[in-house]
Amino acid sequence: MSVEVEVDESDLAEMVEQVWESYLDPEGVSPLIPTYDENQPSEVHSSVSITGSWTGHVVYASSRAAAKRAAAAFLAMELEEVSEEDMSDTLGELANIVGGNVKAMLPPGAQLSLPQVVLASESSARYPNAQRISGVYGMWEGEPVSISMWQVSTDNKEEGA
Amino acid sequence: MTPMRAMVIDDSRAMRMILKRIVTKLNFEAVEAGDGKEAMDLLADMTEVPELALIDWNMPNMNGLEFVTKVRADPRLREMTLVMVTTESEQSQIVRALAAGAHEYVIKPFTEGAMIEKLALLGLVPTGANS
Amino acid sequence: MTLSQAEFTFVANLVRREASIVLAAGKEYLVEARLIPVARAVGAANVNDFIGDLQKRPNPAYQRKIIDALTTNETSFFRDREPFAALTDVVLPELIKSRASVRKLRFWSAASSSGQEAYSLAITLQETLPAGWSFEIVGTDISTAMVERAQKAEYSQVEVNRGLAATQLVQYFERAGAHWRIIPALRKNVSFKHMSLTAPFPPMQPFDVIFLRNVLIYFDVATKRQVLQNAAKILRPDGLLFLGAAETTIGIDDNYERVAAGRTSAYRTRTAAPAGAARRG
Ligand SMILES: C[S@@+](CC[C@H](N)C(=O)[O-])C[C@H]1O[C@@H](n2cnc3c(N)ncnc32)[C@H](O)[C@@H]1O
């Protein structure tokens, strides 16, 4: 049996809110407005994997425009200055921060992977044997952004762990 | 007067940029390293030891906890103020880092104001400089 | 959709009457932004309908929600540091001498918001008082939502990053899911109650120290004076009042005098304390 996940939707929403407050919207003027739309489109994504007491992924996904804006806010740059590398580093760190906080809420013995970033649509690269267990979906200044958690099925976990 | 120096040690370039921006605002001169090993190598070549190091925990080659342990074991680096800046937020991890010799601990995500307050707590910022 | 002048006036009057907080004209946009979630939460179609209904049928619960949404609750642990350092360095050593026979202190965090100020006082007292001493801290606020948060004593990662030393986080908090909760041993000396500072005060035992910080700024001069006079009656004659960095009694209530407290200042009632002030012993 897999450990029951102790991270629910409201925990995830709170972490996301803190990331916005800290880096993406320190002035509190452009929050992520929830859409509850699990199927909203995305063009870029980043993720970290967690293994051990719980096995799965924490995934950031958004439009390119939102990713660019996130990098500009994170790195205190003008939008026009943002390079592909800036975008990819920022998305990686966003996944890492949310993933790290998720990990802290799991039973001891969970490990966090290095972040992976794909500056392309994520739909083709869905996580095998993984099932979405919670997510925060919203619009940020009119652009889709989501943070979701995917649990890897237990069968798969047995051979892995 | 020579400015104070701060080492920013994190494998994420984006996070290094954020930290660098904050310490630069506080008139530190920033030195970057991508992991503990690189930071140790840089320190070995420095004649003057930086006043402050901001240290991520999870990094390749040498992690933040190992770095703190190594610095604490070296009398030459005794004066460095060590601040962990990490997503590791289990209480037991904070205790481990403090026991290894870290002076302060900042959990990611942090606001710029929170980081400045922490540094003020350590006497590295004139109080009331920012709020 | 924007608020009509009549709707804004209705809300402004409500907040002025209940909390003595003045919403200047021009704040219509702010009021609306803060009230959208409230209107949604109670099932109103929009803010206009929400206010319209309230004008027709007064509803105390909804009025509370409006006040909650429109009062500014910004606070943090050990906010501004200096007042807390002053307690440790000069105020408490004095009190430890003068209260040696009772060995008990009572502090008030008036306008306690989500409780960080009251718990910072508790940590300060816990770390400074000698063995055998006890203390009681009372926090009060007009916002019932804030009083409930303070009683719950749970704080987010971002909130505990601010103002606390790592050793204090480890010592006085425990993890509670995504949050950090104050440990029961510290919580047991701290209580919170709903109370408006601008209504007549309920009966209260006198306090050794009052923190009345960052709330007078919202009031007009007459209200400030009234609050300060009421506070004087429950401050012990040798007790101290701490105000926010941008606040003072000077020019408002001459019954107080400013005294140095460490690197900041505090206020004491003049020796000719107003009649009815609590006397020691
Ligand atoms: C900015 S916070 C200050 C919190 C804390 N004292 C500090 O300095 O950090 C102001 C608080 O005053 C409360 N408040 C506003 N008007 C009030 C009134 N008339 N009576 C009691 N509390 C009031 C608000 O609900 C809010 O929590």
Side-chain angles (χ1 to χ4, degrees):
Chain A
M1 283 299 293
S2 77
V3 188
E4 207 181 311
V5 218
E6 296 172 16
V7 186
D8 64 22
E9 201 119 335
S10 71
D11 292 330
L12 202 59
E14 189 178 316
M15 287 174 206
V16 168
E17 201 177 296
Q18 296 189 22
V19 168
W20 254 253
E21 178 183 347
S22 298
Y23 306 119
L24 301 185
D25 179 32
E27 310 292 332
V29 290
S30 48
L32 184 66
I33 296 158
T35 55
Y36 307 100
D37 175 10
E38 293 183 4
N39 298 314
Q40 66 186 22
S42 69
E43 293 165 335
V44 296
H45 77 293
S46 61
S47 65
V48 289
S49 303
I50 297 175
T51 49
S53 61
W54 179 80
T55 299
H57 316 278
V58 176
V59 181
Y60 164 100
S62 76
S63 68
R64 270 189 86 84
K68 200 160 183 180
R69 195 167 293 149
F74 208 82
L75 306 175
M77 297 178 157
E78 296 299 322
L79 266 181
E80 310 81 67
E81 293 170 11
V82 172
S83 67
E84 294 282 298
E85 190 191 5
D86 295 332
M87 220 151 76
S88 136
D89 285 358
T90 300
L91 298 197
E93 188 56 14
L94 288 177
N96 181 51
I97 291 174
V98 179
N101 277 281
V102 166
K103 196 208 84 171
M105 293 174 61
L106 298 171
Q111 313 275 315
L112 197 67
S113 76
L114 287 177
Q116 308 237 320
V117 182
V118 180
L119 294 183
S121 169
E122 61 157 342
S123 49
S124 56
R126 278 294 184 196
Y127 306 91
N129 305 320
Q131 201 185 344
R132 175 165 43 203
I133 56 165
S134 72
V136 174
Y137 302 85
M139 294 299 254
W140 183 40
E141 293 184 354
E143 294 290 331
V145 176
S146 72
I147 310 269
S148 52
M149 270 179 80
W150 298 71
Q151 180 162 14
V152 171
S153 74
T154 30
D155 308 348
N156 194 50
K157 192 187 146 192
E158 263 158 39
E159 52 177 315
Chain B
M1 216 185 92
T2 50
M4 295 206 283
R5 278 197 294 175
M7 269 197 134
V8 170
I9 313 168
D10 198 306
D11 56 341
S12 155
R13 188 187 65 111
M15 188 47 69
R16 288 202 304 272
M17 285 175 74
I18 288 190
L19 292 171
K20 218 169 77 177
R21 189 171 76 229
I22 297 174
V23 295
T24 309
K25 246 190 208 176
L26 300 175
N27 292 323
F28 281 89
E29 200 174 275
V31 186
E32 288 180 64
D35 60 54
K37 170 94 176 44
E38 194 187 328
M40 274 327 264
D41 292 347
L42 283 169
L43 282 170
D45 290 341
M46 288 181 185
T47 47
E48 270 175 72
V49 177
E51 281 79 4
L52 170 68
L54 301 176
I55 313 148
D56 185 21
W57 189 309
N58 294 305
M59 296 179 288
N61 301 320
M62 185 192 293
N63 72 32
L65 191 68
E66 292 170 294
F67 175 79
V68 168
T69 311
K70 281 215 155 52
V71 168
R72 280 287 152 251
D74 184 344
R76 193 179 74 97
L77 304 176
R78 203 175 37 217
E79 298 295 314
M80 268 173 95
T81 298
L82 306 179
V83 180
M84 296 298 291
V85 184
T86 169
T87 60
E88 292 290 328
S89 51
E90 293 92 329
Q91 218 156 0
S92 55
Q93 296 291 74
I94 304 178
V95 172
R96 270 176 83 193
L98 295 178
H103 297 92
E104 262 303 338
Y105 204 100
V106 175
I107 300 165
K108 294 175 189 167
F110 56 87
T111 61
E112 182 177 311
M115 177 60 81
I116 293 174
E117 279 177 33
K118 278 282 186 185
L119 297 178
L121 214 60
L122 294 162
L124 291 167
V125 185
T127 39
N130 191 302
S131 69
Chain C
M1 190 118 29
T2 46
L3 288 184
S4 72
Q5 201 49 49
E7 286 163 341
F8 177 75
T9 307
F10 173 77
V11 173
N13 285 344
L14 171 71
V15 177
R16 187 179 178 103
R17 191 171 65 239
E18 300 290 327
S20 293
I21 290 176
V22 183
L23 294 174
K27 292 279 171 77
E28 287 85 351
Y29 175 75
L30 171 93
V31 168
E32 189 180 1
R34 296 264 186 97
L35 292 185
I36 289 173
V38 180
R40 189 166 305 156
V42 303
N46 54 46
V47 177
N48 308 73
D49 282 10
F50 175 57
I51 297 174
D53 279 357
L54 210 50
Q55 282 171 309
K56 275 179 251 144
R57 272 170 267 109
N59 179 329
Y62 287 5
Q63 291 174 354
R64 279 257 84 82
K65 285 187 199 293
I66 292 184
I67 291 163
D68 283 355
L70 291 172
T71 46
T72 307
N73 302 309
E74 164 74 10
T75 188
S76 64
F77 289 103
F78 294 94
R79 184 171 185 176
D80 301 333
R81 298 223 74 80
E82 293 302 346
F84 298 92
L87 287 181
T88 309
D89 298 343
V90 300
V91 178
L92 287 172
E94 276 295 314
L95 284 170
I96 288 168
K97 275 188 234 151
S98 60
R99 302 285 187 275
S101 58
V102 288
R103 293 199 285 175
K104 181 169 171 112
L105 297 177
R106 264 173 64 79
F107 280 33
W108 180 25
S109 166
S112 47
S113 187
S114 36
Q116 283 93 323
E117 179 175 274
Y119 291 119
S120 303
L121 290 172
I123 292 173
T124 306
L125 288 169
Q126 187 74 40
E127 291 183 343
T128 315
L129 289 182
W133 282 68
S134 64
F135 63 86
E136 191 184 345
I137 293 165
V138 180
T140 61
D141 202 281
I142 196 172
S143 157
T144 42
M146 285 299 128
V147 170
E148 278 161 27
R149 268 211 65 198
Q151 284 166 337
K152 213 167 167 215
E154 286 188 13
Y155 298 97
S156 72
Q157 204 93 260
V158 165
E159 287 169 322
V160 299
N161 259 342
R162 284 191 65 190
L164 290 166
T167 47
Q168 292 170 327
L169 182 58
V170 170
Q171 204 172 344
Y172 301 112
F173 291 77
E174 56 197 6
R175 274 309 283 257
H179 295 137
W180 295 79
R181 185 169 52 224
I182 307 273
I183 53 167
L186 198 65
R187 244 173 23 226
K188 74 176 200 299
N189 300 315
V190 188
S191 63
F192 294 93
K193 281 201 290 281
H194 171 257
M195 170 183 160
S196 169
L197 288 168
T198 49
F201 284 17
M204 284 195 273
Q205 295 295 308
F207 293 99
D208 299 296
V209 171
I210 297 177
F211 269 49
L212 176 64
R213 307 193 66 230
N214 304 303
V215 63
L216 289 182
I217 32 168
Y218 302 112
F219 304 151
D220 60 28
V221 173
T223 310
K224 284 182 178 133
R225 182 175 303 129
Q226 187 61 53
V227 174
L228 286 168
Q229 282 172 359
N230 288 339
K233 294 181 194 147
I234 48 171
L235 180 62
R236 286 186 184 277
D238 61 343
L240 282 180
L241 170 75
F242 283 85
L243 300 178
E247 297 162 330
T248 179
T249 64
I250 293 167
I252 298 169
D253 182 352
D254 291 334
N255 285 317
Y256 287 94
E257 60 183 338
R258 182 152 67 184
V259 294
R263 285 160 56 184
T264 179
S265 46
Y267 301 85
R268 206 188 276 291
T269 49
R270 291 186 193 277
T271 10
R279 300 258 167 215
R280 182 154 43 121

